[in-house]
Amino acid sequence: MSLAEVLRLLLRHWKLLLAVPLVLGTTAFLLTRHEKKTYTSETTLYTGIASGYTLKGNAETDFFSTNNAFDNLLNLIKSRETKEEVAYQLLTHHLQMKDHLDPARLNWNSLMRLHALLPAALRQQLTGPTQAETLARVRAYAGANDTNELYLLLNSFDPTYSVDALGHVNASRIQSSDLVKLDYEAEDPAICRHTLELTTQVFSEKYRGLRMDQTATVIKYYEVETARALVLLNTAEDKFLAFNRDNNIINYYEQTKYIAGEREGLYADITKIQMQYAAAKARLAAIELKLAGRNRALLSTGELLQQRRELEQLQAGLANQQLYGRLREPGTPTDAPRLQARIGELTEAMRTTLNDHYSQLNSVEGIPSKGLIDEWLRNMLECSDNKAKLEVMLQRKQEFMEEYHKMAPLGATLKRIEREIELTQKTYLALLTSLNDSRASQQNNELTTDLKVVAPPFLPLHAKGGKRLMLVAGGSFGGFFFVAATLLGLGLLDKSLRKPSVAASQTGLPVLGVLPPPSATPPAPGSYADTALDHLARQVVRRAGTQGAPTPFVVGLVSTRRHEGKTQLLQALAIKCRALGLEVLTVCPEGTDAGPDATYYPPALAVVQRWPLARLTQGQAAHVVLLELPALLEDTYPVAPLTEVHLLLLALKNTRTWEPKDAQALQDLRSLTMAPVEAVLCGVQAYESRELLVQHEPVRRRPRLRLAFWRRRAATA
């Protein structure tokens, strides 16, 4: 559909395009004549989420975290719990006033409306001595069941106390800053401001409580776990202490290191003493071999043996005192000096005993016996001393081995206890660190959740512009565009034969011409109707005047249905052809109104008796014979005259659609005649016929030429 067609379609229905917007605009104007005034107020809060200062310094910029924090804040403002709490507190403040009006909270009309909403008995029941008591009563009564007055009021569409009304509190972040703006509109300016104040107070407390509850739960968890870890750590340390006490361990690693060092030194001393003892023992045996006779027997006397045994005991005690003296604490008394003195005395006593029993001066080899006895005494003392030391060292070696075997398994157990202490300590320190971090986070939340009111809500003095003008304009323009869209949609979906090109494409027939809508008055010269009829007549005359055309020229007018306009077409062609000077004979079936000059025939009799064309025309002669046949789909039509028809005109009403049964009727008609079939579109408006009439402009002189041609043909005949 072209732009010109769209405009023509709209112009055709200009009355509807004006009437519907006018009706809708008037209706909107009348319905909004009692529109209530509304007042708007706003407040601005500073959050510090994006760039605020915390315990760790300036807040780090994180786009996703910041957006998440703002989303949480805005959703908390818009939550139902916040709206309900604001409604409770707003109603509480208004109930506390009773009959004493506070202009800063609400006006007189709002107070009267509250009295109308809640009965006096209920207001008295809900009102307590203090504001806190009244708030508690309101909450309890509203939450008691879902059928009481407060619950129904809260879930209604009341403009002041309902959740739906408080849902109009709009909260938004100002660009990418730390500021949040809240705005609200109400019928009462005082209620508008007071609602914003309560909303700010309620959601700030909820926001702080939510943040603090999160950290409080975490802190409580870490406190419990830290206390449990401390108990485990103390238990492990007590176990470690008891293990060291039971096993006489002061420092296991130093003790084992000392034992290992002492053992190595002891082994070296034992080796050294064994060598000295073996050497002294060998020398003593050599000296005893050199002594002979009574000198050798002297060494075996009872007194000397007694002194030797005592000497060995003293030397063993002295060696024991010297070896274990290093293990004693400083200041501990010792017997070493006494034993040394006694050993010296006993040595002198043995020397004296030997001198008293000496009876021989020289040995067998000639060596003096006195020197051998002295040397024997020295070696005997050295051998006895080394023997005592060796025995003590071997005893000490056995003690070291026992201590070593005792300390070796204790290391694994001690290691396991120390590892348990280390793990428990690490767990305790980690929990303690997390606890401190959580407490710092809680303190940080206390600092950062304190929302600051930058711009408090103001009392609006002027009402907000109403929506009356917008509704009237919207209704008018909406009605206009709705009607226009409906007309365009119907035009696009229209499948009727509205103009020649559409009729030609749907029927497959060439369109000979168009017939204007029927009119009670004859067409004026030069008008669209006159031009269209003239065009049709010229087309028929042109085909009748072609070389070889028979005389008379028979034109059949048919239609597939009734009331298609073929009778009007017959009359119009007859009038125009007679105006051109042609003799025209019109033949119509009985029941039609084609005028007094028409010849009528009975269709049923003509069909049964197979009347030829001459019988239908009753022998009358004319240049052009216009034969009208009954509707092809609805009536019975004669078949015999179709063989004598030279041109068939199919009348089609432009408001109808072309259907398969029409195509089948046309196909049956074509099978009965060789005459060409062309369409004539009836009831076409002027703007829809221009595509056909512009292509065939009228020529005024050509019909006169055709008239001379017909006269020559008539004279020849």
Side-chain angles (χ1 to χ4, degrees), residues 454-611:
V454 178
F458 57 89
L459 181 65
L461 300 179
H462 303 285
K464 183 181 178 182
K467 300 180 180 179
R468 189 177 191 183
L469 180 60
M470 184 178 65
L471 291 175
V472 172
S476 301
F477 284 105
F480 177 82
F481 287 115
F482 175 76
V483 174
T486 304
L487 292 176
L488 292 177
L490 293 176
L492 292 174
L493 297 175
D494 187 13
K495 301 299 182 182
S496 62
L497 308 173
R498 57 184 182 275
K499 58 182 180 179
S501 59
V502 176
S505 63
Q506 292 191 18
T507 62
L509 298 176
V511 179
L512 182 67
V514 296
L515 191 66
S519 177
T521 60
S527 63
Y528 157 67
D530 183 68
T531 304
L533 295 176
D534 186 59
H535 176 267
L536 271 174
R538 284 190 288 111
Q539 295 299 320
V540 174
V541 170
R542 181 182 293 116
R543 282 161 177 72
T546 56
Q547 190 70 26
T551 303
F553 188 78
V554 182
V555 180
L557 284 79
V558 297
S559 66
T560 58
R561 305 177 189 180
R562 297 175 185 174
H563 310 295
E564 293 284 341
K566 59 179 179 295
T567 302
Q568 179 191 358
L569 175 61
L570 180 139
Q571 293 175 346
L573 286 177
I575 292 173
K576 278 296 181 180
C577 289
R578 289 189 183 110
L580 295 176
L582 298 177
E583 294 180 3
V584 179
L585 177 62
T586 57
V587 181
C588 304
E590 294 179 352
T592 59
D593 186 11
D597 296 337
T599 301
Y600 298 93
Y601 67 92
L605 186 59
V607 172
V608 174
Q609 296 184 3
R610 299 180 182 180
W611 287 1

Side-chain angles (χ1 to χ4, degrees), residues 74 80 97 122 172 178 221-222 224 253 291 308 313-314 340 357 362 396 423 511 514 516 522 538 569 699 705 713:
L74 297 180
R80 181 179 177 85
M97 287 186 291
L122 180 59
S172 60
D178 284 336
Y221 166 76
Y222 280 123
V224 173
Y253 301 102
L291 293 176
R308 186 174 178 179
Q313 293 177 357
L314 291 175
Q340 289 178 352
H357 293 281
N362 296 318
R396 182 59 180 165
L423 293 176
V511 179
V514 296
R538 284 190 288 111
L569 175 61
V699 180
L705 296 175
R713 289 190 62 180

Side-chain angles (χ1 to χ4, degrees), residues 42-75:
E42 63 181 30
T43 181
T44 304
L45 305 176
Y46 176 76
T47 61
I49 295 176
S51 60
Y53 195 82
T54 64
L55 293 178
K56 298 179 181 179
N58 290 327
E60 298 181 359
T61 303
D62 187 347
F63 178 78
F64 296 102
S65 299
T66 301
N67 284 347
N68 185 32
F70 273 105
D71 289 341
N72 293 336
L73 182 62
L74 297 180
N75 290 329

